[in-house]
Amino acid sequence: MGTNPGSGRGPTLGRVLQHLGPMLLSTLAGTPQYLTPVGGVVVHDPSDPPALPAGAILLGIGVTDPGEIVELVALADQHDAAAVVIRQPIGRAPVLSDDGTVVLGVPAGVSWQQVMGVLTTAMQSALHPADRGLDGQEAGDLFGMAGAISDLIDASITIEDRNSVVLAYSDHQGETDAIRVEVILGRRTPDVYAGFDEERGAMRSIRESLRPVYLPPLALSDGRQTRGRVALAVRAGDEILGFIWAVADKPLSTEKDDLLLDASRLVALHMLQLRAGADGARRLRTDLLATALTGGPEARSALDRLRLADRPLIVVALTLAGAHAAAAAHVTKSQRVAVSFQVHLAGSWADAAVALLDDTVYALVPARRPDTAVSLEYLCRNFVERTAEDAIVGIGRVVDHPAELELSRADADRALRVLARRPSAQGGDRVARASEIEAEAMLLELRDLALASKRGPFGAYARLLAYDDNRDSTFLVDSLRAWLDAHGDVMAAAAATHVHQNTFRYRLKRLSEIGEFSLDDPAARFALQLQLRLWPPDLPERSSK
């Protein structure tokens, strides 16, 4: 999975570290080489050592003992890892050579989840650099722009898109305030700060002003004090592309205001080029993924271009509640979820391909180990809980050949349909592997066939439904369901329906008379149980026949 340094086709250590900046990772040992190819981000598990691709960035989560750190660095050196990342040692630090593997330190207060999120985002950014712009810099090199603006006006800078997502930032952010640190690590403005800005009309002022706007310091409700800010909208004509934020204790001088305004025009050019490149890359990835998922003759070529050929694959499908609402806000949210899902997967599967097709986010995930489906299910549950609580996720089967990808996609789609039809898709019910819901999926498909041929409930079940419908109740059908679910145990069924046993026995006698069937007939019981699953009394499209 390593990349030829001269090819320019993959991320290099220099590019990745440029995107991160020294605030998040400090160099503890070794000398980072700009052209060192990066082959992925891997979490080290001492009890189950992972396979290490060439050029891996190895995360030593929980590795704090000096001896264990030395062993981890030796392991990384054996496998030609690009770098090792550990928590910055407190107290006795291990003795590490400056001539060996690069060792980077994560400061206290920064979570590993944040490290993985920012690191994989940097990997993706470095993997798809934009073409060079008119000024000779890379069109996507907003980090270089942030640093240049910081030098011009002598202030720490962030460049954000119009949704307040951080695109780039300058050095020395640790010298600002706690909110700015949270902005960098979380890649967006914290809700507590955004709420105060909304109350004081800050964003409205910034959008309406053609010049930089000074915002005084804030005393937050949690007791923290912020420093002041100078903000300027980045414009392309009448369109606002994003914002430049500078930490400043007082308004800038007129000269620095003019410098910031001039710089914003170059930032606008970079952002337009970056958006154009990202849109083109996204469209290409979407087309390739759609082609691969059909399993047709072009699937192999599409997988080659996605770098996913000749390996077992799993299709994952994700959609949001109200996916058919066709609202612009919903489409935008689905696009954001697709990007977030790509980043979330990249921690374990950096080469996974993700794209939004219609109203569903699809992912092609390499199945390197026999337990990949289980690990993937756990990761998807974590993603839903943390990032997309209104999402449901279906996981297909593992397939070995491109022609079988449509089977895995069909599996994932069926799992989504089952989850969407459940009365309450909460907790564990929001994620399912296709193999776990096969019976429910088959019932849905059987119902589709029945509806297509205009067939509905029949025989004894139809008579019981008609009796209940005439009385605007589900009295008999509920009793039947309780009895069948209890496998004919009258005591258990009576307890489930909260009635006396003798009362329930009378109900059984009545429903057998009205339904005109024998409670002792196994074929009649099977037909009733099947129809209860196909056409429960509360099903909207049920029509008695």
Side-chain angles (χ1 to χ4, degrees):
M1 194 173 171
T3 306
N4 181 356
S7 69
R9 295 179 58 191
T12 64
L13 186 60
R15 283 191 180 279
V16 171
L17 295 184
Q18 271 189 336
H19 281 78
L20 294 175
M23 189 193 79
L24 184 61
L25 294 176
S26 58
T27 303
L28 302 180
T31 303
Q33 300 297 314
Y34 188 92
L35 294 179
T36 301
V38 176
V41 181
V42 180
V43 176
H44 176 67
D45 183 352
S47 62
D48 186 16
L52 288 181
I57 294 179
L58 188 58
L59 305 185
I61 299 177
V63 179
T64 56
D65 180 79
E68 293 177 347
I69 292 174
V70 171
E71 291 178 3
L72 180 62
V73 173
L75 175 67
D77 188 52
Q78 292 173 11
H79 292 273
D80 295 324
V84 171
V85 183
I86 60 172
R87 179 71 65 185
Q88 282 188 7
I90 299 175
R92 187 168 63 93
V95 178
L96 300 171
S97 170
D98 283 334
D99 298 327
T101 300
V102 174
V103 182
L104 305 171
V106 178
V110 177
S111 73
W112 283 106
Q113 186 71 27
Q114 291 170 325
V115 172
M116 291 180 66
V118 177
L119 190 56
T120 50
T121 299
M123 283 276 294
Q124 293 299 318
S125 299
L127 187 60
H128 303 290
D131 295 331
R132 292 192 175 271
L134 299 176
D135 59 353
Q137 298 187 55
E138 291 182 0
D141 188 16
L142 287 175
F143 280 84
M145 288 298 304
I149 296 170
S150 176
D151 292 339
L152 282 174
I153 66 172
D154 192 24
S156 296
I157 297 295
T158 58
I159 300 174
E160 303 179 7
D161 68 11
R162 55 189 171 193
N163 296 314
S164 297
V165 175
V166 176
L167 301 177
Y169 50 88
S170 63
D171 290 343
H172 310 301
Q173 298 292 342
E175 302 168 7
T176 55
D177 56 37
I179 290 296
R180 174 53 68 86
V181 173
E182 287 186 28
V183 168
I184 300 299
L185 293 178
R187 289 300 174 112
R188 66 178 305 112
T189 302
D191 291 340
V192 61
Y193 190 89
F196 276 98
D197 270 351
E198 191 68 32
E199 288 179 11
R200 62 178 174 172
M203 294 308 297
R204 183 176 65 252
S205 299
I206 296 167
R207 289 189 176 95
E208 293 176 352
S209 175
L210 297 179
R211 307 247 335 147
V213 174
Y214 176 70
L215 302 172
L218 283 174
L220 303 180
S221 56
D222 57 10
R224 290 182 295 176
Q225 181 78 28
T226 75
R227 295 176 62 183
R229 299 287 194 270
V230 170
L232 174 66
V234 178
R235 302 175 187 272
D238 293 333
E239 181 184 1
I240 294 179
L241 303 177
F243 306 93
I244 300 174
W245 289 83
V247 175
D249 295 321
K250 59 182 180 180
L252 300 178
S253 65
T254 301
E255 180 184 0
K256 288 184 177 179
D257 268 358
D258 290 340
L259 289 172
L260 185 58
L261 186 59
D262 289 341
S264 73
R265 299 186 180 103
L266 187 55
V267 170
L269 173 63
H270 280 244
M271 293 180 77
L272 286 171
Q273 293 173 326
L274 183 63
R275 185 168 70 180
D279 287 346
R282 183 168 56 250
R283 285 194 298 271
L284 175 61
R285 185 171 60 251
T286 299
D287 290 345
L288 291 175
L289 192 60
T291 301
L293 289 176
T294 62
E298 300 298 323
R300 173 56 189 259
S301 175
L303 290 175
D304 280 336
R305 298 185 67 181
L306 290 169
R307 300 182 184 180
L308 290 173
D310 300 320
R311 64 180 77 180
L313 297 168
I314 296 177
V315 176
V316 180
L318 179 153
T319 192
L320 302 175
H324 301 288
H330 183 85
V331 173
T332 301
K333 184 176 181 181
S334 296
Q335 291 169 341
R336 288 202 302 267
V337 168
V339 174
S340 297
F341 194 44
Q342 173 84 63
V343 172
H344 200 78
L345 281 172
S348 301
W349 292 277
D351 44 357
V354 179
L356 177 65
L357 301 178
D358 296 326
D359 55 15
T360 303
V361 177
Y362 287 100
L364 277 179
V365 181
R368 301 188 188 93
R369 299 165 55 139
D371 62 348
T372 293
V374 177
S375 302
L376 192 54
E377 181 181 1
Y378 175 80
L379 180 142
C380 290
R381 291 190 191 283
N382 180 271
F383 175 75
V384 169
E385 291 170 5
R386 289 175 173 267
T387 309
E389 294 181 353
D390 55 347
I392 51 176
V393 183
I395 302 171
R397 74 185 77 177
V398 178
V399 296
D400 295 314
H401 304 290
E404 298 174 330
L405 274 175
E406 58 181 332
L407 299 177
S408 188
R409 176 185 180 175
D411 284 346
D413 286 340
R414 279 202 305 274
L416 283 185
R417 189 179 178 205
V418 168
L419 292 173
R421 293 295 291 262
R422 286 179 175 173
S424 177
Q426 296 178 350
D429 288 337
R430 289 200 169 276
V431 178
R433 283 180 280 157
S435 58
E436 298 173 339
I437 46 84
E438 186 62 28
E440 292 176 80
M442 291 176 67
L443 283 172
L444 287 177
E445 291 165 1
L446 184 57
R447 183 187 301 155
D448 290 341
L449 290 173
L451 291 173
S453 57
K454 298 183 180 180
R455 296 160 62 188
F458 60 88
Y461 186 59
R463 289 188 283 272
L464 294 174
L465 285 174
Y467 184 90
D468 278 347
D469 286 345
N470 289 336
R471 287 154 183 77
D472 195 24
S473 74
T474 57
F475 169 74
L476 287 180
V477 174
D478 287 344
S479 299
L480 174 66
R481 177 157 40 195
W483 181 69
L484 290 171
D485 288 348
H487 304 288
D489 186 332
V490 173
M491 292 179 63
T497 53
H498 309 290
V499 299
H500 192 273
Q501 297 172 32
N502 291 337
T503 302
F504 193 84
R505 287 190 178 92
Y506 173 75
R507 289 184 181 181
L508 282 178
K509 182 174 180 295
R510 286 292 294 148
L511 68 88
S512 66
E513 291 173 349
I514 294 168
E516 302 175 16
F517 73 98
S518 171
L519 297 172
D520 297 325
D521 183 349
R525 292 198 302 270
F526 175 76
L528 287 166
Q529 196 158 31
L530 178 60
Q531 291 185 80
L532 267 168
R533 296 280 186 175
L534 288 175
W535 298 291
D538 54 351
L539 188 69
E541 64 264 33
R542 177 181 60 79
S543 59
S544 297
K545 182 176 178 180

